[in-house]
Amino acid sequence: MAADHFRTSTKGITLAIGDHLKIVIYGVLFLSGVTWFLITAALKRKRPITKRVGSPDLEKPGANRGTSFKPPVRAPGAWTPVDFKRPTAAPYPNWDVHKTEPIPYRPFKYGPSHITMGLRNMDWDEWIELDNQYLEWHGVKAKRIEERGDRCCRTAPEAYDGAVELLEELCSYLPKRYPTLFHKTPTGIHNILTHETFSLTLPLSADPMEIVGRLIQDDVAIMFERADGQYYLLAGSILLAGFWRLSDKFGMPLSEIHTSGSVPQYESKLRRGMENFFRRLQPANPVLRNNYLIQADDNLAWSTNIGPEDDNLAINQSVGWNLARKSTVAESHRFRSERQSLRRLPRSGAVVFTIRIYFEPITKVARERGVPGRLASAIRGWGPDTALYKGRERFGDVLLEYLDNMHQAQVERGEIEEGQHGDEGVEYPF
């Protein structure tokens, strides 16, 4: 009896201990799970969320490049002045009108091309780029203003306030960004190098777009929205365009400017996004884009190879690659690239489009490491419509052979390996 009682008691104690151990183990597991959950949640709350800031998606109405701001609803053609002031520009570091080289934009990639607007955000300091070609560009522009007048520089009456607003912006920006070249005066701006002084006191001494053309290296077009919701080219200083004439496009809406120029895939891939972008563009959100062309002569202002600049000015298609001679010497070609900025002026609501030309011998560009192979690939990658628009049939054979030979020479010298694309480690569009 005693033994049985002992065994029964012992068994009960064992079961009790086992139950307690289970409770302890389950408790520890539960507390561990809760602790892990709380620590993980806390870390997630503290961890910063980073997103790559890219180009705006022009098809999405809410695309405002990282902000929650939504453009105010307004009727087409109506603009209420916005209380926005461009940030004061910092001086360009070590800028020298005789020594600062042009920025070597190389806006092409290896392989097939894709038709997009190719926008990226703009730093306000970098709105206008000047370099050691300033005096040469200024001289060419001044001569064309004297010889061609309103065929190159013109402002419609309804656009006058916007053109003056742009001039005011330049007179504020340039002396801050390039203090060794420009000095702000009580009434306007003074060019220290050319000894030109321009007053903003109305009435102006000349068309405001003529004055704009004398200040900077860029060509400039100003677009204004009318009641039909379209943007019209109503002010321009187009002096170095090379392939198009202000006299042809002045007064046209944005869509007709592109369709009359046979811009590749404008209707299918560009029109909707471009019109939406213009409609939503706000004064605080400027953008940049780059493109490039091959020119078969060395004339900066007008490519004489595509026809006379003054031939049948009333007919848009009187000049073009269809008139160009077929190239026979690769070394005569020029690499022509454009760096374009778009911004909206806060008072008038006008959209300012600056076009800075970079114009270099193809022989210079082709000496750069990896560039001849990459450029040859990009030119071969143009679709049929782009190839027609950019004139590849006229220069392709001789130029591509030259670029291939330059690429092969770089491979043989060990500057680049066979199979490399030439853009490894290079930040596009440079």
Side-chain angles (χ1 to χ4, degrees):
M1 291 284 296
D4 291 340
H5 177 73
F6 177 78
R7 284 194 295 271
T8 301
S9 299
T10 304
K11 183 177 181 181
I13 292 170
T14 302
L15 291 173
I17 293 173
D19 290 340
H20 284 299
L21 283 173
K22 288 181 180 179
I23 292 171
V24 171
I25 291 171
Y26 291 154
V28 170
L29 291 174
F30 175 77
L31 290 174
S32 298
V34 170
T35 302
W36 175 84
F37 175 81
L38 292 174
I39 292 174
T40 302
L43 288 174
K44 285 184 177 180
R45 289 187 65 183
K46 291 182 179 180
R47 186 180 301 138
I49 298 174
T50 57
K51 294 182 179 180
R52 183 179 66 86
V53 178
S55 297
D57 185 344
L58 303 181
E59 299 301 323
K60 294 183 178 180
N64 282 289
R65 296 187 306 289
T67 74
S68 59
F69 175 78
K70 293 184 178 180
V73 177
R74 58 182 178 82
W79 178 260
T80 301
V82 175
D83 185 18
F84 170 79
K85 185 176 180 180
R86 172 187 46 77
T88 301
Y92 192 116
N94 302 313
W95 188 84
D96 188 303
V97 71
H98 302 295
K99 298 178 181 179
T100 301
E101 296 283 341
I103 297 174
Y105 291 108
R106 304 293 178 253
F108 48 86
K109 295 182 179 180
Y110 188 91
S113 64
H114 303 283
I115 304 295
T116 66
M117 284 184 67
L119 300 178
R120 66 187 189 278
N121 298 338
M122 185 187 85
D123 186 317
W124 278 111
D125 282 352
E126 300 171 0
W127 177 33
I128 301 297
E129 292 180 349
L130 305 179
D131 51 50
N132 63 6
Q133 293 179 332
Y134 180 83
L135 277 178
E136 178 187 355
W137 262 230
H138 182 276
V140 173
K141 284 182 150 197
K143 182 178 179 181
R144 286 177 64 77
I145 288 171
E146 296 302 322
E147 293 177 350
R148 307 187 65 79
D150 64 3
R151 285 178 290 176
C152 290
C153 297
R154 187 175 174 187
T155 304
E158 66 187 277
Y160 199 86
D161 180 62
V164 171
E165 184 182 7
L166 169 62
L167 194 53
E168 292 170 353
E169 279 285 285
L170 288 171
C171 289
S172 169
Y173 170 88
L174 292 171
K176 295 290 186 181
R177 186 62 170 167
Y178 303 99
T180 59
L181 181 59
F182 294 103
H183 171 69
K184 186 171 177 58
T185 69
T187 59
I189 191 169
H190 175 70
N191 188 315
I192 299 169
L193 191 64
T194 66
H195 307 294
E196 295 169 300
T197 299
F198 301 102
S199 172
L200 298 186
T201 303
L202 298 179
L204 299 179
S205 60
D207 187 292
M209 298 309 295
E210 176 185 321
I211 299 174
V212 168
R214 292 181 185 274
L215 288 174
I216 59 178
Q217 289 172 256
D218 304 59
D219 279 351
V220 181
I222 313 184
M223 312 294 293
F224 293 79
E225 187 185 36
R226 286 178 170 168
D228 60 2
Q230 295 196 74
Y231 280 80
Y232 290 80
L233 174 54
L234 298 179
S237 174
I238 306 298
L239 294 155
L240 308 176
F243 290 87
W244 67 282
R245 303 172 294 207
L246 178 65
S247 52
D248 290 336
K249 309 295 185 181
F250 194 82
M252 282 187 180
L254 183 68
S255 57
E256 189 179 356
I257 289 172
H258 288 82
T259 55
S260 65
S262 302
V263 174
Q265 301 180 45
Y266 174 73
E267 289 289 352
S268 62
K269 291 191 175 181
L270 293 176
R271 179 170 183 165
R272 180 185 173 193
M274 193 176 293
E275 290 178 348
N276 287 342
F277 170 76
F278 267 71
R279 176 74 176 166
R280 295 193 300 268
L281 180 63
Q282 294 298 305
N285 303 132
V287 297
L288 294 171
R289 67 182 302 271
N290 290 71
N291 65 16
Y292 71 100
L293 296 167
I294 302 298
Q295 186 169 322
D297 57 72
D298 60 359
N299 298 299
L300 170 64
W302 177 260
S303 176
T304 54
N305 192 49
I306 66 169
E309 185 174 8
D310 292 314
D311 181 46
N312 295 324
L313 282 176
I315 305 174
N316 288 327
Q317 297 302 327
S318 63
V319 294
W321 280 107
N322 59 305
L323 299 181
R325 302 177 302 275
K326 191 142 179 130
S327 298
T328 58
V329 181
E331 288 80 1
S332 66
H333 292 75
R334 296 295 184 272
F335 179 75
R336 186 184 185 99
S337 67
E338 296 180 353
R339 184 254 196 192
Q340 305 166 354
S341 77
L342 290 99
R343 58 167 295 195
R344 189 185 291 277
L345 298 176
R347 186 176 75 223
S348 64
V351 175
V352 175
F353 186 56
T354 68
I355 310 155
R356 172 62 206 278
I357 305 298
Y358 293 86
F359 196 59
E360 304 168 83
I362 198 69
T363 51
K364 175 180 179 293
V365 175
R367 289 196 297 268
E368 298 173 9
R369 179 188 175 278
V371 166
R374 179 157 56 100
L375 180 56
S377 174
I379 293 173
R380 288 189 172 99
W382 294 344
D385 49 359
T386 301
L388 180 64
Y389 176 73
K390 293 191 173 186
R392 187 177 65 189
E393 189 274 334
R394 299 296 181 180
F395 63 75
D397 292 343
V398 64
L399 181 62
L400 288 171
E401 180 182 5
Y402 171 78
L403 292 173
D404 289 343
N405 290 338
M406 293 294 289
H407 172 72
Q408 187 58 39
Q410 290 187 356
V411 172
E412 293 173 357
R413 291 194 299 267
E415 297 176 15
I416 188 171
E417 295 181 9
E418 190 64 65
Q420 278 189 307
H421 293 169
D423 53 5
E424 293 83 359
V426 178
E427 184 180 354
Y428 183 82
F430 296 98

